[in-house]
Amino acid sequence: MTAINIVSSEYVPIPAAAASRVVPWVEELSKLGFDVRIFTSKASKDQGDPIVISSFFGIPNNKAPLLKRFLQEVLLGLDLGIRIWLNRKHSDGCIITSPPFFMACICAFFAKQANIPYIFDVRDRYPRVLADLGYLNDFGLLHSILGYLESWIYSRAQLVTTVTNGLVSELVSSYPKRNFQLVRNGFDELVFTDELLNFDKRSAFTVVYHGRLGRFYDLDTYLEIIKIIHDLDSSIRFIMVGELPQEIYLNKPPNLQILPAMKLDSLSKILASCHLGICLLRDLPAMKNAFPAKAYDYIGAGIPILAGPDGEFSQMVEELNIGISFEKVSANKVADSILEIKNKKDNWSKMCTQVKKNRKNFGRRKIAQEFFKREL
């Protein structure tokens, strides 16, 4: 039996995007007859799952200062890399997910040293993201070193997969001799079932956000939208689900309900009970090619999306007519659109119909199954 290692900083029971992406991969590969093992952080240590090989170290903290996060990634990468090397006689291939970029690069290095072929899966492109966030100078020495590291990893991979057409094009342009393929995130069809499409909506018109509100999102914009809506129509409610910055608790508007991060089966019902999903990114060059995983969950739950600013994500929302897109994110414009959608239920119903029509193309298990049958 062919043995495949999957390296991911997050796995069950962590309710995070990386874990959500990997779980269907494990199950689809197992169905195809592969012997699958997960190399992950200590957060999955006590699950009692024999296929999980967990580290001594935890998940790198997105909220930590950059130097501390770098150290966390390196320690996790070294620990998992050594474990990959020690298991080399029982490994025929690796699928390594990034970010965390430095963890993934170290694991790729150990896989190469152990003569294990690997697929490198890229969800956000580093070092470009660090440059866009202002942590690196585009022309500095550190940026050049990281660029060389990125090139080294790609050149030794059997295949590099990524999550949007824009990232595929960008990588092909930067590294024309490498093999890049699109493998979208999608939603989990076993969790976001067809029954959710008929789920009862909340009595109050409700807009929902879920997931980490990290460096790619502007907390102040979200809070401003919620406060404007409160002044315009206090009957409209907002829900935010996930690990959120402390500031949001200190400045919490009265029309906002905050819920903790939860497992997908519980989250799916929360999303399906709402009327709109919101996902507004910061206006950064790297975000032009992004398609956040939370947006697929909105599609899976059958609710339209508020998307912006201009980029592959918002363009798809507009082309499929599955929500409202904003070329530039303005709190006032977003608030006005929410109010208009609430008051014009026919428009909202049409968008819901379009979501239901197109959602079959974004099932994560279907995407994974087609990819693995083709490539492995």
Side-chain angles (χ1 to χ4, degrees), residues 66-67 69-71 73-74 98 100-106 120 122 124-156 171 174-175:
L66 201 60
L67 186 59
R69 178 179 167 87
F70 169 74
L71 180 61
E73 289 193 27
V74 168
S98 169
F101 176 70
F102 298 105
M103 177 213 78
C105 289
I106 292 168
F120 200 77
V122 181
D124 292 311
R125 187 183 172 190
Y126 289 77
R128 177 170 178 180
V129 166
L130 293 176
D132 286 349
L133 289 170
Y135 296 122
L136 290 180
N137 183 329
D138 282 337
F139 305 100
L141 178 61
L142 183 55
H143 188 277
S144 298
I145 292 171
L146 294 181
Y148 173 79
L149 179 60
E150 182 187 33
S151 176
W152 189 93
I153 295 300
Y154 296 162
S155 67
R156 286 154 179 79
L171 289 167
S174 299
Y175 306 101

Side-chain angles (χ1 to χ4, degrees), residues 323-340:
I324 302 294
S325 64
F326 304 92
E327 186 173 352
K328 297 287 184 182
V329 174
S330 157
N332 283 299
K333 285 184 179 179
V334 175
D336 287 343
S337 293
I338 293 171
L339 195 61
E340 183 177 359

Side-chain angles (χ1 to χ4, degrees), residues 198-329:
N198 299 312
F199 205 80
D200 289 340
K201 299 297 181 186
R202 294 167 184 263
S203 56
F205 191 87
T206 305
V207 183
V208 65
Y209 172 93
H210 95 81
R212 293 169 181 154
L213 201 59
R215 295 183 175 98
F216 302 137
Y217 303 88
D218 184 2
L219 171 61
D220 291 339
T221 299
Y222 282 87
L223 287 175
E224 187 178 357
I225 292 166
I226 296 170
K227 289 173 181 176
I228 291 171
I229 286 291
H230 182 260
D231 292 337
L232 294 173
D233 185 344
S234 60
S235 71
I236 298 175
R237 314 302 295 175
F238 288 81
I239 295 176
M240 300 188 89
V241 186
E243 297 177 13
L244 304 173
Q246 192 61 35
E247 304 95 280
I248 202 165
Y249 295 91
L250 300 175
N251 300 283
K252 180 178 171 294
N255 55 337
L256 170 63
Q257 179 184 9
I258 299 175
L259 300 175
M262 60 185 70
K263 293 183 178 179
L264 270 183
D265 55 351
S266 299
L267 175 66
S268 66
K269 296 177 178 62
I270 296 289
L271 298 183
S273 72
C274 297
H275 298 81
L276 289 174
I278 187 169
C279 183
L280 305 172
L281 299 163
R282 288 179 61 188
D283 195 358
L284 300 170
M287 295 299 97
K288 298 294 184 187
N289 295 327
F291 200 118
K294 61 177 62 61
Y296 290 111
D297 292 342
Y298 298 151
I299 293 171
I303 60 174
I305 305 168
L306 300 169
D310 183 51
E312 182 167 336
F313 168 45
S314 61
Q315 288 168 11
M316 182 176 288
V317 168
E318 183 174 354
E319 288 168 6
L320 298 179
N321 194 25
I322 58 174
I324 302 294
S325 64
F326 304 92
E327 186 173 352
K328 297 287 184 182
V329 174

Side-chain angles (χ1 to χ4, degrees), residues 343-374:
N343 292 328
K344 294 184 178 179
K345 294 228 170 25
D346 285 348
N347 290 345
W348 175 78
S349 296
K350 288 176 183 177
M351 288 188 290
C352 289
T353 299
Q354 284 298 110
V355 174
K356 294 173 185 178
K357 176 183 174 182
N358 287 282
R359 72 191 288 275
K360 65 181 181 294
N361 299 317
F362 298 109
R364 183 178 286 147
R365 291 169 187 273
K366 175 186 175 185
I367 292 168
Q369 187 179 79
E370 290 173 351
F371 171 71
F372 291 134
K373 281 184 175 179
R374 184 174 67 247

